[in-house]
Amino acid sequence: KFTKPHLYKFYFLVYCIDDPMCMGMIEVTKRRFLKTFIGGLFITEYVTRTKMANGAIQSKTGADAKKVFGKAIVMPFKKLPRFFRPEYDMSLGVTPKTEMRFQQTNVRGKKAEDNIDKDELGSMIDFGSADAISYDGQKILRYFGDEWAKTVEANVFDRHEVIRYCLLDEEGRVIGKALYSSTVEKNDSDKDGVQEAARQLWEASDQNKREANGMTQSGLYRFFQTADEGRNFDVYGYPNVPKTIQDILADRESVRNNQRSLSARMK
């Protein structure tokens, strides 16, 4: 279904992709706004039409990254028309659990050379743990950082310092693009610096504050979706802003005597 806020988001994302001084987009958004599926699309659409391209996923935990891989990569891929699905290795099954390799299915024996000259992308998509060095040293052309603002197993700012070098070539030029997406919640972690790291990464991604090299400190551009455009869409996808504001305020008023609930509703 079409909505104007999603159109603006894709306009911004394409701008980040086309800008040679940008490493990608970082956003915070509301729940149930398709952020995970858009992240999967961001990786799959490019990797499935590009040779020797690696796509990578990380989330707030390794288990969450695995869920994103299955939900936003594998399942939508299986539903694509056949002519949109490039050759992929089915030795891992039609529903792979760990990675998707866009190459000929591994065959043993005398028939192994029959398909050796067939065209294949040689690309792949996988997911890693939330650890900061999970992708250290790899070349990544599409990266999805799911729930970056709620990462509890690593310092997300330090992790991005690793990822940003995965998006560069040997000359220091940007060849890969990242999409960081998260809802806003309180980050419950006892690890030192984990909560502050998310704020630090957001502040380092302000496109209105560039370094001498023309890039932001993180290399990312940030995108914020306001709550007043998040619901009550007409048949053309335009949000009814006054009604949405009225609904939000009424919802907050219903729990005005419960500070914990009020804080949760506001977030």
Side-chain angles (χ1 to χ4, degrees):
K1 113 182 163 176
F2 172 84
T3 72
K4 292 296 277 189
H6 279 128
L7 177 64
Y8 297 145
K9 174 176 175 175
F10 275 105
Y11 279 160
F12 191 89
L13 179 57
V14 171
Y15 183 92
C16 293
I17 292 172
D18 288 344
D19 188 339
M21 303 303 292
C22 179
M23 292 182 176
M25 166 180 155
I26 183 170
E27 70 161 351
V28 287
T29 185
K30 61 172 285 184
R31 288 180 178 177
R32 303 290 183 268
F33 219 53
L34 303 178
K35 65 179 181 60
T36 302
F37 283 99
I38 290 174
L41 167 66
F42 169 73
I43 292 178
T44 306
E45 189 279 328
Y46 182 79
V47 172
T48 56
R49 62 178 172 84
T50 308
K51 287 193 173 185
M52 305 305 293
N54 291 341
I57 300 169
Q58 285 183 295
S59 188
K60 60 182 184 290
T61 67
D64 285 295
K66 183 177 181 178
K67 291 178 183 178
V68 172
F69 177 77
K71 180 174 73 171
I73 299 291
V74 177
M75 294 308 294
F77 178 82
K78 290 170 62 177
K79 294 180 180 180
L80 287 174
R82 179 65 187 89
F83 53 82
F84 274 139
R85 296 199 307 270
E87 188 76 29
Y88 70 103
D89 187 353
M90 288 188 286
S91 64
L92 300 175
V94 295
T95 308
K97 304 296 183 183
T98 57
E99 62 182 12
M100 291 194 74
R101 298 192 294 256
F102 298 99
Q103 61 189 41
Q104 299 292 325
T105 301
N106 188 28
V107 178
R108 298 175 182 272
K110 294 182 179 181
K111 295 183 178 181
E113 290 189 356
D114 292 348
N115 297 327
I116 197 169
D117 294 325
K118 285 189 176 180
D119 195 23
E120 60 184 10
L121 290 176
S123 302
M124 68 172 293
I125 302 173
D126 69 356
F127 61 90
S129 70
D131 193 79
I133 60 172
S134 180
Y135 282 104
D136 186 28
Q138 298 193 36
K139 183 172 73 172
I140 299 174
L141 296 190
R142 286 294 183 270
Y143 171 85
F144 179 45
D146 178 58
E147 299 292 13
W148 64 271
K150 296 191 285 186
T151 299
V152 296
E153 293 185 352
N155 181 304
V156 71
F157 188 86
D158 291 344
R159 190 173 75 184
H160 176 67
E161 286 297 297
V162 174
I163 294 299
R164 72 190 308 277
Y165 286 103
C166 298
L167 306 173
L168 302 173
D169 67 7
E170 65 278 2
E171 299 291 335
R173 293 173 297 218
V174 178
I175 57 171
K177 299 290 179 172
L179 172 60
Y180 284 84
S181 185
S182 182
T183 53
V184 181
E185 303 288 343
K186 186 177 184 302
N187 195 334
D188 293 318
S189 175
D190 295 329
K191 290 186 177 181
D192 292 338
V194 168
Q195 293 189 45
E196 182 57 32
R199 183 189 300 272
Q200 187 180 4
L201 182 58
W202 178 257
E203 294 296 331
S205 304
D206 186 348
Q207 54 268 31
N208 295 313
K209 298 177 182 178
R210 309 291 183 97
E211 301 297 317
N213 61 1
M215 302 177 70
T216 63
Q217 183 182 344
S218 69
L220 306 170
Y221 295 167
R222 64 190 194 186
F223 180 85
F224 179 70
Q225 176 61 57
T226 57
D228 56 6
E229 293 186 340
R231 58 173 95 157
N232 294 313
F233 298 103
D234 63 19
V235 294
Y236 302 105
Y238 286 86
N240 186 332
V241 173
K243 186 177 188 310
T244 300
I245 293 176
Q246 183 180 2
D247 291 347
I248 291 173
L249 295 179
D251 184 48
R252 294 179 183 181
E253 180 67 18
S254 68
V255 292
R256 67 185 184 279
N257 296 322
N258 187 324
Q259 188 59 42
R260 184 182 183 88
S261 295
L262 178 60
S263 178
R265 301 284 176 93
M266 293 174 70
K267 286 186 286 187

